[in-house]
């Protein structure tokens, strides 16, 4: 069976196809940007670099301090080890001790020079009187037989001077011991409970009972001063 050709049907089909094509294009145009441009949710994010948590600020290292308590040291070997730690390896402490020693020696020299000047002045007084008496005799003038100062007077004057020096030097020694105690120097920072009143030596080099006599302490302090002078030489 043949169907007659109808041009209006062709126009209708073309319109229908044209409408479908336009709808497909519009749907593609609306969907294409979403496929090409990534939304923030769809866009792949770069992994962030893993950072280590910030470290808490560390305190600067404290200088190592000796664990030995100088107030309990009564032996020379222990004192030697302690001093080599706190003095031999510490320039600032050496400077302080050097200043103390220099000050003491300077005062001692000054006191001795002043004493010698006093002795010379005493001698010159007698010599000047003798010269003056000789001049007076040469011209026949009367001479005063009274001496300006006797030997006893000169001695008393020297004794007074020596007593003043002793008093001042004792104060200086006390100040020096206080400074050395503050620097934790053995035998100067020793506890008084470890010093016995007896003058009898301890059993083994002053160490038998862990205590020392006053005489032993003085000797140990003198020995320590000699060591400090050697360690702190300029």
């Amino acid at each position: 069976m043949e169907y007659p050709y109808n041009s209006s049907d062709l126009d209708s089909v073309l319109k229908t196809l044209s409408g479908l094509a336009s709808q497909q294009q519009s749907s593609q145009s609306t969907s294409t940007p979403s496929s090409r441009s990534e939304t923030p949710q769809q866009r792949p994010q770069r992994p962030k670099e893993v950072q280590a948590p910030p470290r808490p600020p560390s305190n600067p290292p404290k200088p190592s301090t000796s664990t030995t308590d100088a107030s309990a040291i009564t032996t020379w070997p222990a004192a030697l080890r302690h001093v080599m730690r706190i003095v031999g390896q510490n320039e600032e402490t050496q400077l302080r001790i050097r200043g103390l020693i220099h000050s003491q020696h300077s005062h001692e020299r000054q006191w001795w020079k002043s004493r010698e000047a006093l002795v010379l002045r005493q001698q010159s007084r007698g010599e000047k009187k003798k010269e003056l008496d000789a001049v007076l005799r040469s011209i026949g003038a009367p001479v005063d037989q009274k001496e300006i100062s006797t030997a006893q007077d000169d001695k008393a004057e020297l004794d007074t001077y020596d007593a003043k020096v002793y008093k001042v030097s004792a104060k200086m020694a006390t100040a020096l011991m206080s400074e050395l105690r503050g620097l934790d120097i053995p035998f100067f920072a020793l506890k008084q409970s470890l010093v016995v009143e007896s003058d009898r030596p301890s059993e083994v080099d002053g160490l038998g009972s862990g205590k020392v006599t006053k005489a032993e302490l003085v000797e140990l302090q003198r020995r320590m001063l000699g060591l400090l002078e050697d360690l702190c030489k300029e």
Side-chain angles (χ1 to χ4, degrees), residues 38-190:
E38 300 168 349
T39 61
Q41 292 79 5
Q42 295 174 342
R43 184 182 303 168
Q45 298 182 358
R46 295 181 180 179
K48 295 183 179 181
E49 296 181 359
V50 178
Q51 298 181 353
R55 296 181 179 179
S58 58
N59 296 326
K62 296 182 179 180
S64 58
T65 56
S66 171
T67 56
T68 307
D69 185 3
S71 65
I73 294 178
T74 58
T75 71
W76 180 256
L80 182 60
R81 289 192 298 269
H82 185 82
V83 167
M84 294 306 296
R85 246 188 332 262
I86 67 171
V87 178
Q89 302 176 5
N90 192 321
E91 182 64 25
E92 182 179 354
T93 303
Q94 292 180 26
L95 290 174
R96 290 184 61 182
I97 295 177
R98 191 178 298 136
L100 294 174
I101 294 174
H102 177 75
S103 177
Q104 180 177 356
H105 288 176
S106 177
H107 281 85
E108 289 174 351
R109 287 192 296 267
Q110 181 180 353
W111 295 333
W112 179 252
K113 288 181 179 179
S114 297
R115 192 179 193 281
E116 287 184 328
L118 177 58
V119 172
L120 290 176
R121 188 162 60 249
Q122 290 176 347
Q123 293 174 352
S124 65
R125 284 201 298 258
E127 292 174 357
K128 287 182 179 180
K129 185 177 185 308
K130 290 179 181 179
E131 292 176 0
L132 179 60
D133 290 347
V135 171
L136 291 174
R137 289 191 183 94
S138 66
I139 61 175
V143 176
D144 186 3
Q145 300 298 326
K146 182 180 178 181
E147 296 182 0
I148 294 179
S149 62
T150 63
Q152 290 79 7
D153 295 334
D154 292 343
K155 183 178 181 305
E157 189 176 22
L158 282 175
D159 290 343
T160 301
Y161 176 82
D162 291 342
K164 291 181 180 179
V165 169
Y166 177 81
K167 185 177 180 179
V168 175
S169 62
K171 290 183 178 180
M172 174 171 283
T174 301
L176 175 63
M177 292 182 67
S178 178
E179 289 285 343
L180 295 177
R181 186 182 303 111
L183 292 174
D184 204 30
I185 302 300
F187 309 131
F188 293 93
L190 186 62

